[in-house]
Amino acid sequence: MRIALVSPYSLSIPGGVQGQVVGLAHALRSLGHHADVIAPGDAGDAMPDAIGAGRTFNVRVNGSVAALALQPAAVARTRRALRDGGYDVVHLHEPLAPSITLAALADHTFPTVGTFHAAGHRTPYRWAEVPLRHIAQRLDARAAVSGPAACLAQRHLGGRYTIIGNGIDVHEYRTGQRLPIDRPTVLFIGRHEARKGLSVLLEAVQYFGADLTVWVAGEGPETHRLRRRYGADKRIQWLGPIDDAEKRSRLRSATVLCAPALGGESFGMVVLEAMAADTPVVASDIEGYRVPTNDGHAAVLVPPGQPRQLADALRLVVSDHSTREGLRLAGAAQAQMHSMRTVAERYVELYTTVR
């Protein structure tokens, strides 16, 4: 089967959707299918054989920033790539994003599947619900990465959705190189913006003693403010942006991953990555984290925005060996259930329904 996977976001900027598109392409190829990736920007920087659709512009979406492309030149390149590829199925991720996915859906030349990733309340759907509901009818099949993502899309767009969770290359994370640590180490990975809850974690750290290290990976609009407030705390190491290899090593090495998001998460990929790396997880009790953690059976979930309760949960995990071991075993089982190969097989089943 010849499949085009279209990302609305540039692959050169790390993100959950982009990671799923690239990972799914590799998994589909391993199953014997021809899978191409089309994305804004110079897509080849992140995936050598990806097809780039041209320059991008930054847009604030759901509390974050996305690099999109909807210029006439990008639309023309996308349509040309789809036409020349002779695909059996076109798979659009976030098909209604103001980018090349929306242009491809408007063209609707091939059987088309759309996957909806977003969850939360701050969404462009409410700005243009009627026209978006109309154009969504061009999708031949709809998928969503989680129940919250399906509920959001259905509320604004109607339709029926097949739930296919995000996937992960379990082996890749389980074999990451371990780094030496000399004390309990808490890891945060994510964009430094309000909804990711980094400020809650850093406040929670103030309830700990000196025998602790906190790795903070990433950057964003809150980086300067948070470093100004907590920069004197020698327990906190500001790593800045890290590549995939370093991320795997940090995940394998940390005592615990902390995901303190306040909301707006459709599926906690970093949570799943930590589980695949055999690292215990403490996370906010939000809808987007309940699926990968099996409703909290594979992680310690705490109410979002509560630094004292977050500190108590982290203290439990870093100090109690049996708790850590139990979380590792449960997390490893969860990660295996979400292997990218399994996800690819489910999508192939969906593709066959629209051909």
Side-chain angles (χ1 to χ4, degrees), residues 16 149 196 219 294:
K196 294 295 186 179
E219 62 181 1
N294 189 22

Side-chain angles (χ1 to χ4, degrees), residues 18 23 33 36 88 102 159 182 190 225 248 258 289 294-295 301 330:
Q18 301 93 306
H33 301 281
D36 288 333
D88 299 301
L102 182 61
D182 59 2
R225 179 181 68 83
R248 291 191 292 271
C258 184
Y289 290 161
N294 189 22
D295 285 330
L301 300 185

Side-chain angles (χ1 to χ4, degrees), residues 3-284:
I3 305 150
L5 302 169
V6 186
S7 167
Y9 311 129
S10 170
L11 302 185
S12 62
I13 300 176
V17 175
Q18 301 93 306
Q20 288 302 297
V21 171
V22 173
L24 180 57
H26 289 314
L28 289 169
R29 292 171 185 176
S30 73
L31 293 173
H33 301 281
H34 179 101
D36 288 333
V37 171
I38 304 172
D42 186 5
D45 286 349
M47 186 180 187
D49 58 355
I51 301 168
R55 297 178 61 185
T56 63
F57 59 94
N58 292 333
V59 176
R60 291 199 64 82
V61 179
N62 200 27
S64 186
V65 177
L68 308 168
L70 196 56
Q71 306 93 320
V75 171
R77 288 192 186 99
T78 301
R79 288 175 172 167
R80 183 167 57 250
L82 292 174
R83 182 185 65 244
D84 295 345
Y87 299 108
D88 299 301
V89 176
V90 173
H91 185 173
L92 308 177
H93 290 256
E94 290 294 14
L96 302 181
S99 189
I100 60 173
T101 47
L102 182 61
L105 181 57
D107 202 31
H108 194 240
T109 307
F110 303 91
T112 304
V113 172
T115 293
F116 294 81
H117 293 257
H121 300 288
R122 291 179 294 175
T123 169
Y125 292 151
R126 65 186 179 186
W127 304 335
E129 181 174 306
V130 173
L132 290 178
R133 180 181 285 255
H134 176 74
I135 197 170
Q137 293 176 2
R138 300 189 179 200
L139 290 167
D140 299 294
R142 309 183 194 195
V145 300
S146 66
C151 287
L152 174 66
Q154 191 169 49
R155 181 165 68 247
H156 293 281
L157 307 172
R160 300 180 64 181
Y161 298 80
T162 300
I163 306 296
I164 302 179
N166 286 328
I168 189 172
D169 185 334
V170 176
H171 176 76
E172 190 175 61
Y173 282 90
R174 198 150 287 167
T175 55
Q177 181 180 3
R178 291 189 186 274
L179 304 172
I181 61 173
D182 59 2
R183 65 191 65 191
T185 301
V186 178
L187 172 62
F188 171 92
I189 300 176
R191 183 169 167 78
H192 301 178
E193 57 195 15
R195 74 184 181 96
K196 294 295 186 179
L198 175 57
S199 62
V200 181
L201 168 59
L202 297 181
E203 187 174 346
V205 169
Q206 306 312 304
Y207 298 106
F208 280 81
D211 191 27
L212 182 76
T213 297
V214 182
W215 288 336
V216 177
E219 62 181 1
E222 288 206 320
T223 303
H224 181 70
R225 179 181 68 83
L226 293 175
R227 292 199 67 164
R228 189 170 63 246
R229 179 173 180 179
Y230 296 103
D233 191 333
K234 301 303 181 184
R235 298 171 300 173
I236 303 171
Q237 297 181 16
W238 300 87
L239 307 178
I242 59 177
D243 61 22
D244 287 341
E246 183 176 356
K247 178 172 74 170
R248 291 191 292 271
S249 291
R250 298 281 180 180
L251 283 167
R252 285 282 287 168
S253 308
T255 310
V256 57
L257 173 90
C258 184
L262 304 179
E265 301 291 315
S266 62
F267 190 100
M269 278 306 299
V270 70
V271 169
L272 197 59
E273 290 165 351
M275 292 175 175
D278 285 330
T279 299
V281 172
V282 172
S284 296

